[in-house]
Amino acid sequence: MIQELPAMINARVLQKQCRAGDRSFCCKECLMGPCNFSINNSIGVCGAKRELVVSRNMLRMAAGGAAAHCGHAQELLDFFSASVSTEKILKLIPDYILRIWKNLGIEIPAKPGEQFREITDALHLTSMGVSGDYADVLKWSIRMGIVDGYFGLYLATNTEDKYYGKPKVKSGHLNLSCINPDKINIAVHGHEPMLAEAIVKQAKNFPDVNLIGVCCTGASLLARHNIPHAAHFLLQEDVVATGLIEAMVVDSQCIMPSLSDLCECFHTKLITTSHIGKMQNALHLPFNNEEEADAAAFKIIETAIDNKANRKTDFEEHFKVNKPEEKHVILGFSDETVPVEKMAEDIAQNKVKGVIAVVGCANPRSDLKGWVEAFKILSKDYYILTTGCMAFEFGSKGLLDGERFFHLGSCVNNSRVAEVFRKISVKLNRQINELPFIVSAPAPITEKAVAIGMFFTSIGCSLHIGEPARFASDPIVANTLISVLHDTFGTKLYVNTDPLEFQKQLLIEHSFVQL
Ligand code: MSK
């Protein structure tokens, strides 16, 4: 049924993951290398030691993640011709956190746009021959977390809320069953909501159009407009492979380059909309403002309607017979609708041990089934807040009940999680770092997940990283991170790739807090 894969793809071989890079033991910052640090005590051609290389790689990932989130926020501001105002956001940082950062020698960007200078400095200092002090490089990763959190996550979320409204709690539809074989299916995928919002507006005039979301653009449309969420990052190809998608509209971040080849195998029209995110074989429809976004949205709908004639009817029959069971979830939570007061009371009265935020991606290398099961068991003792692809993973297993599991939206909406932590700490009259708040990225994929982890570390949460535990592969780096968290914040770093072990570790080590 599927058309022959283009000869070009057939001739290529799927790349095996590199064992040195997997542990972050590869340095390719200069053309005398690359140097492989798999052997302990090895020294690079320039004299760099392994701990420096692992720390530099970590900072580069955190800087990449911060660039993506700050870029997302900036795109929104440019779109609305809005000026940057971070004053209100920065006022949310508690004084004790500012003091901790000061003791670490970290200052927050003061002037508008300075966050981009910080990202440039992080890349500069990790280029060959600048910083040779691995501990200082690690400190910069925390600094990137702060930039990511306040100038990326908070700024993007607050701007989206201002122009598109704050989500409300509701029941929503999630998984591939939302694809409708009797309609024209348009999938919107990526992270920035501007064009997706324009399509939502225009699609109201076309009753034959079925709009569905993918990845974080999907999570944000689900939370604001109850547009069904078909897939997270990992399932984006499955959406196209149904053979029922007339247009796959992508903006930026987490879009697999494979979509370009995959859409060629079906009738799906791939449409790119970000001025920086282009793909081969795609129709490119960039926009700069609301008027242009409306025009692009109209053209996309027209293109999809015309493309329906190219759909193979066999796919419709196949989907109807094999349609997945519909999944409905409770979603649309924010720091204003999560029951902060009850959570605080339950912590104070030892009814729960704390709150775990399960954030970030769903890496296929990880035991995703095992992680879902582990958090299901942990939810008896903890409230679970969740965002991004892990939220989808919980939803697809029927766990997003709005009682123990709370879906707070897309990746940039992790600022809502931070606000829940801050508000609970205010209610309990305690510092965030004195409370049982754990942020877990059990299956990270992207640089953004590293930046998000560093952000939560910087505000005083304990951090868990699952597979691949890349930065804990070097004992010097791992021990430095553990002692910075312990000595400076009084928090913990959990590096555990085994769901069952992590769950047991928490239940044994983590007792009820005495307030
Ligand atoms: S989409 S960053 S794979 S959570 Fe935000 Fe999922 Fe990770 Fe992308």
Side-chain angles (χ1 to χ4, degrees), residues 45 72 94 114 252 259 287 367 413 415 419 467 483 505 511:
V45 64
H72 175 153
E114 215 170 84
S252 82
L259 286 186
F287 60 92
D367 176 5
N413 297 155
S415 62
E419 276 302 281
E467 188 85 34
S483 54
Q505 187 185 3
S511 49

Side-chain angles (χ1 to χ4, degrees), residues 191 215-216 233 254 360-361 388-389 411 446 448:
H191 281 75
C215 226
C216 278
F233 169 84
C254 299
C361 329
C389 290
C411 295
T446 68
K448 293 178 286 174

